[in-house]
Amino acid sequence: MTRPRMFCHVLLCAAIAFGFSGCGGATEEPDGSTNDAGDGGLDDCQQDNSTKGSTDDEWKLTAGGEALSGYICPKRDIDHYWFTVDTARTIVAVSLSNNVALSEVDLCYDIFLQGQDIRISGKCDSDGTDGITELEGTHYLEEAGTYFIEVRDEGGDDEDPRLPNNYMLSIELVPDKDGYEPNNTVATAADPGVGQGYISYLGDQDWFKLTVNSSGQVLTLDLTNTDMTPVDLRYEVFMPDQTTPINGGQDDDGMRNTTALHDILALGEAGTYYILITDVMHDDSDLDVGYTLTVSTQNNPDPRDRTGSNDTWDTATPITSGSTVSDGYIATRGDDDWYVITSPGTTDANPALIEIDIVVPSTSVIDPAIDLHVADPNTACSAGDACDQLVWSCGGCDNIIDCINAQCPSHECLTFAGKCKGNGMCMNGGSYTGCGILSLFMHGPDWSESGSSKHLHTVAPMYGEKYYVKVNDYQARHVDTAHAYNLTVTVHPELDTHDSPPNGLYLPYITGVMEDETRDWNRGMATTISCSQTATEITCGPIEGYLSYRGDQDWYKLDIVIPQEAESDPATMGDNIDYDLLWDWSFSGRSDMPLGYVVMAGSREMGPELGVGSGTWGDGGGECSYLCGEYQLPTTLYLWVFTPTFKKYDYQNPYNLTIRAVKGVCPDNCSYCEAGQCNYPCPNPNNPVPDCD
């Protein structure tokens, strides 16, 4: 490269440069080139006498003086400059730039203290080909003394000898406007005040401290500035042990908008807390645009978070069935409020019902969400276990994920492992310890009977002694210290005797695919119903059942094989006896809750959807339900009772149903028996030989 010179006209400087002689430092490539492209030496490296550690006046930078200029050539070339500072804790502003928008050299500079090999600071342009290089950086110099700046290519693998492609290097010593300095360490942490702080130099760390005299406090923090800045502000809050983080936040682009970071955090214990302010990547600074840090504390409005907390399942607040928590708050960022309710003796063979109701004021910003957890008695664990998988296996279903997930009490299968997902916690189940199951998640208007996301309500099955209820803001985006929520959790007896154990899969998030794909599985869970037979009909029931909770469905197997019998007058009635199916039904529960009563004979489904009332269905009036002696017998019948949306329930009022198969003939009013219909299930005396392919 050329020897240093004050910034001047490029051609004049280049002409002067040809006369310099010397060599580079011992650890770098010597300047000079034997390769000439026939252009009179314009591509030759310019020689210099730059030497590492030298304080030759030719290479001295003067604060506030004119820029010095040079070249990076040959490869691995390093140019050494030096300057002095008379006062400790000085900030030096370095400017390194070039004249062209396209250079193979990726300019870098590094700062060293005389006599030391440890780099203090520096900056790089990682791509010299993407525009003119303009590196501007401010750096903190702890000691007075002599410092060196080394200019190089970032990888040491490029050079640029072309005359117009010289770089310019200059420095200034600037005062630090930050009145809180020095606060670069925890030991020198400052008390927040009304003045502005500054990220004054690259890597600047501004520590602040806040003394809290009592437990159960809430910290409100605001970090703002008044103008856009290259500094991307970040804060971190630490516990009194000075190392455990509580929370943090950042502005990823300070040049997009002014910064306005806001946080509300729980401070569990008394003591001195610490706040660290930095640039996100520690690669920007700004002595013109500062920041303002404002902090305050108040008592936590949630009494459960004042003398401790209920932020985890093992610190859950016990609640009594039917009682209302009327003073719960999501008062701090990421606040989780855990509650536990106990129902001794409850198991999957002796289930109960758990009703959950939460109301958040309409004026609150909280977007409530509920998790319901229970320990799995089948997956034993010890404290510290991962509990990410349960012992339950899942898979098959032709890889249809809705079907696979339905196999799990957690409603999620880890397909790579073939196991149902655990909730990651080893939980106290009362009389046992087991890996936790997230059995239900509630959020949004779909879980509200009124359609309001501020009022969530449902009933779920309860298959364990202890259930844990977690209340939080969805995705932890909001806090509210002014508005309390009301939470009521009630345990009810399960009145449905057919649900001990359950006679249908619990599918609170059921989809159409899930419904279709799990029918064979549900048949395996069906309760067997006794049937009686006379000369003219088969009677199954009466059946009393409840659709007690969201996602409830009841499956029954009618305990008789309806036989294939020869007809006494086949010329009139066909070769075999047909059966008309009749539903004697009643339901006196919710008026907005129709029930489906579907009888399945093989793949064929028959049956009505009926609301409140009573009567007999299938006895005419356009209703078509029958079993054809020729094609559908012998058969075993299954009965499926459900609500069409699977979202409504009534745990207080039962449905009553009797299924009757009456000997008869394929009725004329069934479309399947009419002329021209294919494929007809059984002969019609009015259409004995349909013309069907």
Side-chain angles (χ1 to χ4, degrees):
M1 69 157 270
T2 61
R3 63 185 293 178
R5 57 209 175 280
M6 298 303 178
F7 178 61
C8 56
H9 191 279
V10 168
L11 293 180
L12 175 61
C13 293
I16 295 173
F18 279 109
F20 291 143
S21 63
C23 61
T27 60
E28 60 194 84
E29 191 75 16
D31 291 338
S33 172
T34 61
N35 178 31
D36 181 47
D39 53 10
L42 292 179
D43 64 339
D44 288 350
C45 291
Q46 310 304 309
Q47 298 178 340
D48 67 56
N49 60 354
S50 165
T51 305
K52 184 177 180 65
S54 171
T55 55
D56 189 317
D57 283 345
E58 289 184 315
W59 305 94
K60 183 177 181 179
L61 291 163
T62 301
E66 294 187 40
L68 301 185
S69 179
Y71 294 84
I72 297 301
C73 187
K75 296 177 181 178
R76 296 182 296 281
D77 183 23
I78 302 176
D79 295 342
H80 306 276
Y81 300 86
W82 65 281
F83 64 95
T84 60
V85 295
D86 299 326
T87 307
R89 295 189 292 276
T90 295
I91 294 177
V92 59
V94 179
S95 174
L96 177 62
S97 61
N98 64 13
N99 287 314
V100 294
L102 183 64
S103 174
E104 293 298 323
V105 173
D106 308 320
L107 284 171
C108 290
Y109 68 84
D110 303 296
I111 303 175
F112 298 85
L113 177 63
Q114 187 179 45
Q116 296 184 4
D117 292 327
I118 299 175
R119 174 181 180 271
I120 294 173
S121 188
K123 203 167 186 181
C124 283
D125 179 356
S126 295
D127 187 356
T129 65
D130 65 352
I132 293 175
T133 294
E134 293 180 314
L135 294 177
E136 306 282 346
T138 51
H139 309 274
Y140 185 70
L141 306 180
E142 182 72 30
E143 305 176 24
T146 299
Y147 289 83
F148 293 92
I149 296 180
E150 296 183 355
V151 180
R152 59 183 174 85
D153 173 66
E154 183 177 36
D157 55 354
D158 285 310
E159 62 181 26
D160 195 340
R162 295 172 296 169
L163 291 182
N165 289 11
N166 59 301
Y167 64 78
M168 284 78 73
L169 175 67
S170 63
I171 64 168
E172 289 188 53
L173 300 181
V174 295
D176 191 348
K177 298 167 63 175
D178 193 335
Y180 296 106
E181 292 285 358
N183 63 339
N184 305 324
T185 65
V186 172
T188 58
D191 295 316
V194 296
Q196 285 194 326
Y198 291 82
I199 302 300
S200 306
Y201 52 88
L202 301 186
D204 190 8
Q205 298 188 30
D206 291 349
W207 285 90
F208 297 89
K209 60 185 178 180
L210 177 67
T211 300
V212 178
N213 295 320
S214 59
S215 62
Q217 297 291 294
V218 171
L219 166 67
T220 300
L221 179 152
D222 288 282
L223 180 62
T224 61
N225 62 19
T226 58
D227 201 354
M228 292 179 288
T229 169
V231 174
D232 308 319
L233 285 171
R234 174 176 173 78
Y235 70 87
E236 294 178 87
V237 183
F238 294 87
M239 292 287 290
D241 65 7
Q242 304 176 1
T243 58
T244 303
I246 298 175
N247 200 29
Q250 65 190 44
D251 181 347
D252 291 320
D253 187 356
M255 293 299 293
R256 182 174 53 192
N257 287 300
T258 57
T259 296
L261 300 174
H262 176 76
D263 212 345
I264 300 180
L265 304 174
L267 306 180
E269 61 189 60
T272 300
Y273 291 80
Y274 295 88
I275 303 167
L276 173 61
I277 309 298
T278 62
D279 174 68
V280 171
M281 299 300 293
H282 307 285
D283 60 354
D284 283 308
S285 59
D286 195 329
L287 280 166
D288 295 319
V289 178
Y291 63 82
T292 299
L293 174 65
T294 305
V295 295
S296 63
T297 59
Q298 68 179 82
N299 287 330
N300 196 311
D302 193 325
R304 285 155 289 276
D305 286 327
R306 290 181 197 149
T307 57
S309 73
N310 62 345
D311 292 342
T312 59
W313 75 265
D314 51 347
T315 60
T317 300
I319 52 177
T320 303
S321 175
S323 63
T324 298
V325 176
S326 59
D327 55 358
Y329 291 81
I330 305 300
T332 55
R333 183 78 62 201
D335 190 10
D336 291 335
D337 290 349
W338 285 81
Y339 302 89
V340 59
I341 192 165
T342 303
S343 177
T346 297
T347 65
D348 56 355
N350 183 35
L353 303 173
I354 183 168
E355 184 174 14
I356 303 169
D357 185 270
I358 186 168
V359 181
V360 173
S362 60
T363 53
S364 175
V365 296
I366 297 299
D367 185 13
I370 296 277
D371 288 357
L372 192 61
H373 298 259
V374 62
D376 180 14
N378 301 298
T379 308
C381 60
S382 300
D385 287 354
C387 281
D388 54 347
Q389 298 180 17
L390 306 175
V391 297
W392 304 69
S393 296
C394 50
C397 292
D398 294 324
N399 294 319
I400 299 173
I401 193 62
D402 281 5
C403 178
I404 295 173
N405 286 338
Q407 301 170 25
C408 294
S410 57
H411 319 294
E412 184 173 356
C413 176
L414 301 174
T415 54
F416 68 89
K419 293 292 183 181
C420 295
K421 184 177 181 179
N423 70 0
M425 297 176 280
C426 182
M427 307 184 79
N428 177 8
S431 59
Y432 64 93
T433 300
C435 287
I437 298 172
L438 174 58
S439 67
L440 188 65
F441 168 72
M442 302 168 57
H443 168 256
D446 187 57
W447 291 88
S448 172
E449 295 188 1
S450 65
S452 169
S453 61
K454 303 288 188 181
H455 185 185
L456 309 182
H457 184 97
T458 200
V459 173
M462 194 174 186
Y463 297 133
E465 298 177 18
K466 285 182 178 290
Y467 267 66
Y468 296 86
V469 181
K470 183 178 81 170
V471 180
N472 62 6
D473 177 74
Y474 182 62
Q475 296 185 343
R477 295 173 298 178
H478 306 102
V479 297
D480 192 338
T481 60
H483 299 94
Y485 61 78
N486 289 340
L487 173 69
T488 306
V489 181
T490 307
V491 177
H492 301 286
E494 173 58 276
L495 301 179
D496 194 334
T497 58
H498 303 302
D499 264 333
S500 301
N503 63 342
L505 288 171
Y506 172 46
L507 302 175
Y509 320 119
I510 192 169
T511 66
V513 173
M514 190 179 291
E515 173 194 314
D516 290 339
E517 295 294 331
T518 57
R519 290 189 179 184
D520 287 343
W521 191 354
N522 277 303
R523 287 186 179 94
M525 301 176 69
T527 299
T528 299
I529 300 297
S530 298
C531 300
S532 60
Q533 187 170 4
T534 67
T536 58
E537 72 177 39
I538 299 170
T539 302
C540 301
I543 303 166
E544 181 180 85
Y546 294 78
L547 294 180
S548 306
Y549 49 86
R550 176 173 172 142
D552 192 8
Q553 53 181 322
D554 293 343
W555 285 75
Y556 303 94
K557 178 182 179 181
L558 307 185
D559 190 25
I560 191 170
V561 177
I562 299 181
Q564 186 177 64
E565 298 179 76
E567 178 59 65
S568 58
D569 185 5
T572 305
M573 307 295 288
D575 293 332
N576 295 304
I577 295 175
D578 306 322
Y579 286 83
D580 289 326
L581 285 184
L582 304 177
W583 285 251
D584 298 328
W585 65 278
S586 68
F587 177 59
S588 58
R590 293 176 54 168
S591 60
D592 63 343
M593 179 177 156
L595 276 67
Y597 307 100
V598 172
V599 170
M600 297 184 176
S603 61
R604 186 179 176 208
E605 300 178 7
M606 299 167 282
E609 291 181 8
L610 302 169
V612 172
S614 62
T616 297
W617 189 90
D619 58 347
E623 298 155 0
C624 179
S625 56
Y626 59 92
L627 296 171
C628 174
E630 279 74 13
Y631 302 104
Q632 295 178 321
L633 299 180
T635 189
T636 298
L637 300 182
Y638 286 86
L639 170 65
W640 178 32
V641 183
F642 59 96
T643 60
T645 65
F646 290 87
K647 297 179 182 180
K648 299 184 183 298
Y649 48 84
D650 189 334
Y651 56 81
Q652 295 177 311
N653 298 290
Y655 59 82
N656 288 277
L657 190 63
T658 299
I659 301 297
R660 291 185 289 129
V662 180
K663 291 182 179 180
V665 65
C666 178
D668 293 351
N669 65 341
C670 287
S671 61
Y672 301 102
C673 300
E674 295 175 357
Q677 296 296 318
C678 301
N679 293 315
Y680 62 97
C682 56
N684 184 333
N686 297 324
N687 183 31
V689 186
D691 182 14
C692 293
D693 295 332

